[in-house]
């Protein structure tokens, strides 16, 4: 291929910029022209492109967010929107596209590939919920952010003998909640993969640890659990007598400097994606499996399922006593 494009789509994730950098520099090194697409699939439809070179991606490897910006495109979800995007690619001579985002972004890449524009997806999402992938770009940074924020909340909880109920992101998956909960020593971790029972999962655990002398508590709740954390905190206080507060960490979890792991994995994946396009291979998703970078057919990747480590869940509660 002589010309490719790179875009970021869906929710931003730390490490996306590192992936963009790797795509651009790998392409330039191999004599391929590369366009950055502004605001995801909307930019692909409207021809909102910038030609990128080696210096276009200087000093971005550490930055959170995405220099290409991100947006969700209602128009692209229609057949006419996709046809517009294809016509735009043809007008600009774009022969392949690297798409950095989550599973919704990959569906767009699949649809483009089916219509003659080879695409390669790179998993960029803090939720770590891409089924074909052990690890997604942004997950490690987000985990570390949650850990830092909850460590700070613990100081106040301990000082006042409180219970603090913290809601973390993750969409419909509990990976962030489970691993962050272990890292901060949470008394209880509520994830969507386990049906919620306040008596069993919260009250009994708090009362059990109270009997051994514990006076402050951290409860981690994944946003995919159908629970209002403010109401949960009020119920905990009413039933246990422990002063309780709630905190929703929100979008602070998405930002910040990417960790080493996210920067390295993003670089490996970006380089790998371009190498696939150089071999005229599209309709693929790049994935991390057992620390190795591999690739899957997009259809296969979107049909795969992923389950949370329930043994790790049991370990978390066995040691938080």
């Amino acid at each position: 291929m002589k010309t490719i494009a790179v875009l970021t789509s869906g929710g931003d994730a730390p490490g996306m910029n590192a992936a963009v950098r790797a795509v651009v520099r790998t392409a330039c090194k191999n004599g391929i022209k590369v366009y950055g697409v502004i605001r995801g699939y909307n930019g692909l439809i409207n021809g909102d492109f910038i030609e990128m070179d080696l210096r276009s991606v200087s000093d971005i490897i550490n930055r959170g967010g995405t220099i290409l910006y991100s947006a969700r495109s209602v128009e692209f979800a229609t057949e006419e929107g996709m046809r517009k995007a294809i016509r735009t690619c043809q007008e600009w001579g774009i022969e392949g596209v690297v798409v950095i985002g989550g599973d919704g972004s990959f569906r767009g890449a699949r649809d483009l590939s089916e219509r003659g524009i080879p695409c390669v997806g790179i998993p960029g999402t803090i939720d770590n919920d891409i089924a074909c992938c052990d690890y997604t770009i942004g997950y490690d940074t987000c985990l570390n952010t949650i850990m830092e924020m909850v460590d700070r909340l613990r100081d106040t909880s301990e000082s006042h003998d409180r219970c603090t109920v913290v809601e973390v992101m993750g969409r419909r998956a509990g990976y962030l909640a489970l691993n962050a909960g272990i890292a901060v020593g949470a008394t209880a971790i509520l994830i969507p993969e386990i049906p919620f029972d306040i008596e069993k999962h919260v009250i009994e655990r708090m009362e059990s640890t109270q009997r051994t002398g514990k006076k402050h508590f951290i409860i981690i709740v994944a946003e995919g659990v159908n629970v209002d954390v403010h109401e949960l905190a009020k119920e905990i206080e009413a039933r246990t007598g422990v002063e309780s507060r709630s905190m929703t960490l929100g979008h602070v979890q998405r930002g910040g400097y990417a960790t080493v792991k996210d920067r390295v994995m993003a670089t490996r994946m970006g380089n790998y994606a371009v190498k696939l396009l150089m071999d005229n291979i599209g309709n693929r998703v790049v994935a991390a499996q057992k620390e190795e970078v591999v690739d899957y057919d997009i259809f296969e990747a979107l049909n795969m399922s992923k389950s949370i480590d329930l043994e790790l869940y049991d370990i978390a509660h066995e040691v938080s006593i």
Side-chain angles (χ1 to χ4, degrees), residues 23 109 120 151 154-155 189 213 304 312:
V23 168
V120 177
D151 282 350
R154 177 188 293 280
D155 293 342
I189 303 169
M304 293 173 74
L312 187 61

Side-chain angles (χ1 to χ4, degrees), residues 58-313:
S58 295
D59 303 321
I60 69 167
I61 194 169
N62 60 314
R63 290 168 54 186
T66 163
I67 64 165
L68 296 178
Y69 306 100
S70 187
R72 289 178 170 86
S73 176
V74 175
E75 185 178 7
F76 186 78
T78 67
E79 183 64 30
E80 179 56 30
M82 281 184 283
R83 292 187 183 281
K84 284 182 181 178
I86 291 167
R87 286 196 296 270
T88 302
C89 287
Q90 292 170 342
E91 290 168 2
W92 287 73
I94 293 169
E95 301 165 276
V97 181
V98 177
V99 175
I100 306 167
D103 52 5
S105 304
F106 293 167
R107 290 187 178 91
R110 174 200 62 193
D111 293 341
L112 281 176
S113 293
E114 281 188 305
R115 290 161 176 78
I117 303 294
C119 293
V120 177
I122 296 176
T125 169
I126 62 170
D127 304 322
N128 200 35
D129 60 350
I130 303 297
C132 67
C133 204
D134 287 345
Y135 179 84
T136 60
I137 297 166
Y139 178 59
D140 187 63
T141 304
C142 183
L143 275 178
N144 279 276
T145 299
I146 294 170
M147 182 181 69
E148 181 183 351
M149 296 297 105
V150 178
D151 282 350
R152 292 169 183 264
L153 289 170
R154 177 188 293 280
D155 293 342
T156 293
S157 291
E158 184 174 6
S159 297
H160 295 274
D161 292 338
R162 283 178 182 164
C163 173
T164 303
V165 183
V166 184
E167 182 183 278
V168 302
M169 286 182 164
R171 289 203 306 173
R172 297 177 296 275
Y175 300 101
L176 284 172
L178 176 55
N179 286 277
I182 291 172
V184 301
T187 303
I189 303 169
L190 310 182
I191 57 176
E193 292 84 354
I194 303 292
F196 172 56
D197 181 332
I198 186 172
E199 184 67 31
K200 175 183 177 182
H201 295 135
V202 180
I203 304 302
E204 288 182 4
R205 292 195 58 79
M206 287 181 62
E207 290 176 343
S208 175
T209 58
Q210 279 179 311
R211 288 192 289 270
T212 62
K214 190 172 182 65
K215 292 182 172 57
H216 69 277
F217 311 87
I218 299 292
I219 312 296
I220 299 293
V221 183
E223 66 178 346
V225 178
N226 189 25
V227 173
D228 183 315
V229 291
H230 179 64
E231 294 301 318
L232 178 57
K234 289 199 297 185
E235 185 170 356
I236 289 171
E237 182 167 338
R239 295 183 61 174
T240 66
V242 177
E243 183 183 6
S244 301
R245 297 287 188 272
S246 64
M247 171 64 68
T248 299
L249 294 185
H251 285 84
V252 67
Q253 296 164 89
R254 287 196 181 279
Y257 288 170
T259 60
V260 169
K261 184 170 184 177
D262 277 327
R263 297 182 198 189
V264 172
M265 186 57 70
T267 300
R268 293 176 66 189
M269 287 182 169
N271 176 267
Y272 192 105
V274 175
K275 295 294 179 62
L276 286 174
L277 290 178
M278 286 172 60
D279 290 333
N280 291 309
I281 298 173
N283 199 40
R284 309 297 290 181
V285 171
V286 177
Q289 287 285 351
K290 297 180 175 61
E291 300 300 322
E292 294 296 322
V293 177
V294 297
D295 61 280
Y296 293 94
D297 176 85
I298 286 182
F299 286 93
E300 179 186 0
L302 289 173
N303 287 327
M304 293 173 74
S305 60
K306 183 177 183 179
S307 58
I308 203 157
D309 188 344
L310 295 180
E311 182 180 358
L312 187 61
Y313 176 83

Side-chain angles (χ1 to χ4, degrees), residues 6-47:
V6 56
L7 64 85
T8 52
S9 177
D12 61 298
M16 279 185 163
N17 282 326
V20 170
R21 173 181 180 271
V23 168
V24 171
R25 290 197 167 168
T26 302
C28 291
K29 175 68 175 178
N30 289 278
I32 299 171
K33 180 185 290 186
V34 56
Y35 289 110
V37 183
I38 304 300
R39 294 183 178 84
Y41 289 115
N42 280 334
L44 204 63
I45 290 172
N46 300 319

